[in-house]
Amino acid sequence: MTKPQLLIDTDPGVDDALAILMAYAHADLAGLSIAAGNVGLGHTVRNARTLVDLVGMTTPVFAGCAMPLVRAPEEDAAFVHGQDGFGDVGFAEPAAAVSAESAALALLRLTRERPGELTLVALGPLTNLALALRLDPSLPERVARLVVMGGAVTGHGNTGKVPAEFNIGFDPEAAHVVFEAFPAFDLVDWEATLRHAFDDAEFDGWLAAGDHRADFFGRIVATARCYNALHERTGLVAADALAMAVALDPSIVTRSEKRAVAVELDGRLTRGATVVDWAARLGRPAQANIVLEVDQARFAAMVKRALGVPD
Ligand code: BDR
Ligand code: CA
């Protein structure tokens, strides 16, 4: 079977790292385009380079926008991911290079070179994708699939604006541009993530049994695990890994619903919320395939392979 061909836009980030390790284990990567989000762009670019070094590949890394499209962000996620986004482990300066080409331009060029071949996986705020779309609105025609980790489809978000999920809340205008431009995409939201957490003890077993990738991930995830334990989030929660599983193999999805989804841009309490037209009352095209359940055993198998756990 041919491997999935991926182009990943990401803000690494601990769960981004696990997702990227999954991509390396199961797919071919055309590039990593980097957004600001979990932490500042300097850290997210450096973390992407650290991952490229870890797996011994030469994947191009493209730096993107340091800021959201319109408004300065109200919060980052350093309190979960660490000040450097990788659990403040203190890795040495990576050797992997940063491309001179900016992320939005790279997204356009790579999809022009390989029209219809690449699955675009968006694991961070959608700033780079939105900018690319404004430069070239025909981008969706050249992408095989778009999978977005973002949103909270019944309002159980994870930010200071209660119904908003982090990736959408960090840059709502960018998410609006992307959600309006793509006629179809898979949406893996925060609430699905919580339903697909891994048992802590089982995950610890994988970390113990895996190779250098498991060792690496065990080090960077420690801060996030402490945060989650203190905030009553049970199990190993890995939003971007779930989205990556859906990108790698859509047949893993066991329940989903196609609905029109829009992004709230204003709202005293709700900026960044993903508003789902569940009853199809507005007559808008149902562009989002909202992933509700996946096969957890198959998801686990993908993660274990990414960590080098023997079969
Ligand atoms: C999303 O926000 C980030 O903190 C994670 O990396 C993930 O992409 C979850 O809301
Ligand atoms: Ca992310």
Side-chain angles (χ1 to χ4, degrees), residues 11 15-16 38 123-124 167 240:
D11 62 332
D15 58 332
D16 300 77
N38 283 320
L123 304 177
N167 287 341
D240 294 336

Side-chain angles (χ1 to χ4, degrees), residues 2-294:
T2 54
K3 285 183 175 181
Q5 304 294 308
L6 305 184
L7 183 50
I8 304 175
D9 192 78
T10 172
D11 62 332
V14 173
D15 58 332
D16 300 77
L18 184 58
I20 292 166
L21 291 177
M22 290 167 70
Y24 278 116
H26 298 275
D28 293 328
L29 267 70
L32 292 166
S33 64
I34 310 301
N38 283 320
V39 289
L41 188 71
H43 285 303
T44 57
V45 169
R46 180 184 162 124
N47 292 345
R49 293 166 56 220
T50 297
L51 282 166
V52 171
D53 282 358
L54 180 80
V55 294
M57 301 294 278
T58 54
T59 314
V61 173
F62 306 101
C65 303
M67 292 286 289
L69 289 187
V70 180
R71 288 201 214 166
E74 291 180 17
E75 56 185 281
D76 66 15
F79 55 93
V80 186
H81 298 262
Q83 295 304 314
D84 70 358
F86 267 4
D88 296 324
V89 172
F91 295 109
E93 179 68 19
V98 189
S99 168
E101 189 176 24
S102 66
L105 295 178
L107 291 172
L108 295 177
R109 177 181 58 78
L110 289 165
T111 55
R112 282 183 192 131
E113 288 172 359
R114 301 175 62 185
E117 283 183 28
L118 298 171
T119 290
L120 189 47
V121 193
L123 304 177
L126 293 163
T127 319
N128 296 330
L129 265 70
L131 192 57
L133 281 162
R134 285 299 194 235
L135 290 168
D136 180 356
S138 70
L139 172 65
E141 295 163 21
R142 299 194 300 278
V143 171
R145 288 173 66 207
L146 170 66
V147 179
V148 174
M149 191 285 126
V153 298
T154 62
H156 297 251
N158 59 359
T159 69
K161 290 282 186 331
V162 171
E165 176 279 335
F166 180 78
N167 287 341
I168 307 301
F170 188 89
D171 193 344
E173 282 77 14
H176 168 73
V177 169
V178 173
F179 282 27
E180 295 291 306
F182 272 82
F185 57 90
D186 291 310
L187 186 68
V188 178
D189 85 322
W190 175 248
E191 296 159 7
T193 298
L194 295 178
R195 288 193 296 276
H196 293 86
F198 296 113
D199 176 78
D200 275 311
E202 191 179 13
F203 198 86
D204 283 335
W206 303 346
L207 292 180
D211 62 16
H212 64 289
R213 293 166 291 181
D215 178 59
F216 171 86
F217 190 71
R219 293 170 78 194
I220 67 169
V221 78
T223 307
R225 291 183 95 175
C226 286
Y227 176 87
N228 287 341
L230 288 171
H231 292 82
E232 294 173 8
R233 279 184 197 161
T234 49
L236 197 294
V237 178
D240 294 336
L242 183 64
M244 183 57 71
V246 172
L248 291 168
D249 185 355
S251 76
I252 197 174
V253 177
T254 54
R255 192 164 67 92
S256 63
E257 294 198 23
K258 288 198 173 70
R259 291 288 184 274
V261 179
V263 178
E264 176 59 84
L265 301 180
D266 303 304
R268 191 170 53 90
L269 302 172
T270 55
R271 177 171 154 78
T274 38
V275 180
V276 181
D277 186 7
W278 287 109
R281 287 205 304 262
L282 303 181
R284 289 171 60 92
Q287 89 282 43
N289 183 45
I290 302 169
V291 172
L292 296 168
E293 301 291 341
V294 310

